[in-house]
Amino acid sequence: MGELLPKLATIPEGIQSAADYLPLARERLLPAVWHYLEEGSGNQVTLHTNNCVFDSIRLIPRPMADVRDGHTRITLFGQTLAHPVILAPLAYQRLYHPHGESASAMAANAQGGQLCVSSLASQTLEEIITAAGQPLWFQLYWQEDRPRTLKLLRRAVTAGYQAIVFTVDAPIKQATIQLPASISAVNLDTPAPFPALLPHQSQVFNGWMAQAPRWEDLAWLRAQTSLPLLVKGILHPEDARKVINLGYDGLVVSNHGGRVLDGAPASLACLPEIVSTVSGRGKVLFDSGIRNGRDIYKALALGADAVLIGRPYIWGLATVGALGVAHVIRLLRDELEMTMALTGTASIREITREKIISDRD
Ligand code: FNR
């Protein structure tokens, strides 16, 4: 095994797109960490589909349009963002760079965007929000029962987090890594002991699923906060309808970056039907597979209000810390602007279904 390269202090020369950070990040991470970051579940069919599906959508060039006042601004839950790119919650960011989540938070702010901090963050919620210099979003994982979940939610609210994203699609922990002693989920209490199973009982049904949230818990959670509250990990329109009917402010169409149910459809394939089901009654965010600004445009054209990116910003983080994260966001935004210009689109609102052709059309 070759030596790990040191982190850089300045943005490397010759980077044209977010994907150019991938090899630089790989050279700077232990193989086990790289594998944990990149892997999908099972045979990685869903992971693969997430990326390929974008190729089935075509962008229609529209020269001569007047886009001189063009911009990528959006307003989401009362906050104006310079662009529709939110950094997705990713666990244990000190695995990738000593500055961890704080670096991602600073970069999100510097680029006029947002970071959703994971329940499994490796720095305290208070430390991260201080580094950010702005309110952030918090991703909530169910903590085995209501009192523990409420305790974590209240801590985030007290720390100043301004929106809550409740992730529901990963009740069974598959992608795991042996964490170094210095890195842990510092915001969580020691987990409740795993239920003792009788010989005839199943680890899945009687173990993990006994500690997973159910619909009645979603209704309960909605009543615990007046902050904007979203559910992350929805792929079925009926689930989207139920979430919105429970009074949630929105949802994230996501298959967790292909890391949970292998064989699940590409997140993008599920987006249009969910958008039409929600029908403006809540925000529909999208993630899983976005790698460049064209992908962002396609997701917005299929009805997403904003997108989250996962692995690509970690490639920047692993290479050059906050600077790398900020650079990845900027590259994505530049590509989005170019795509908008070449398709005659002056604002995010104008990115509509008519701007694209899908192979399904
Ligand atoms: C994740 N994701 C995730 N989601 C979440 O709600 N809480 C978490 O702690 C994590 N942790 C996490 C770790 C790693 C290493 C990865 C790759 C992903 C899922 C994440 O928020 C997002 O849904 C996907 O990463 C989006 O897919 P792309 O952009 O990575 O293709």
Side-chain angles (χ1 to χ4, degrees), residues 36-39 47 50-51 88-92 96 118-121 139-141 165 167 169 232 252 254-259 287-291 308-312 314:
Y36 166 70
L37 172 66
E38 289 297 304
E39 74 186 338
L47 177 71
N50 277 346
N51 298 325
L90 267 87
Y92 311 122
Y96 312 108
S118 168
S119 278
L120 302 174
Q139 176 266 320
L140 181 69
Y141 269 136
V165 176
T167 300
D169 61 355
K232 175 169 177 281
V252 186
S254 169
N255 59 30
H256 215 102
R259 292 166 79 82
D287 81 21
S288 299
I290 287 191
R291 295 294 175 267
L308 284 67
I309 56 161
R311 296 172 183 93
I314 300 295

Side-chain angles (χ1 to χ4, degrees), residues 75-107:
T75 301
L76 209 48
F77 307 122
Q79 187 189 10
T80 300
L81 302 172
H83 53 78
V85 184
I86 293 161
L87 303 182
L90 267 87
Y92 311 122
Q93 296 192 9
R94 282 179 58 241
L95 280 174
Y96 312 108
H97 193 281
H99 299 161
E101 287 82 5
S102 293
S104 301
M106 279 190 276

Side-chain angles (χ1 to χ4, degrees), residues 12-32:
E13 296 286 316
I15 300 274
Q16 313 272 355
S17 69
D20 292 339
Y21 271 106
L22 184 150
L24 302 181
R26 190 183 1 217
E27 292 169 338
R28 286 170 174 79
L29 295 174
L30 289 169

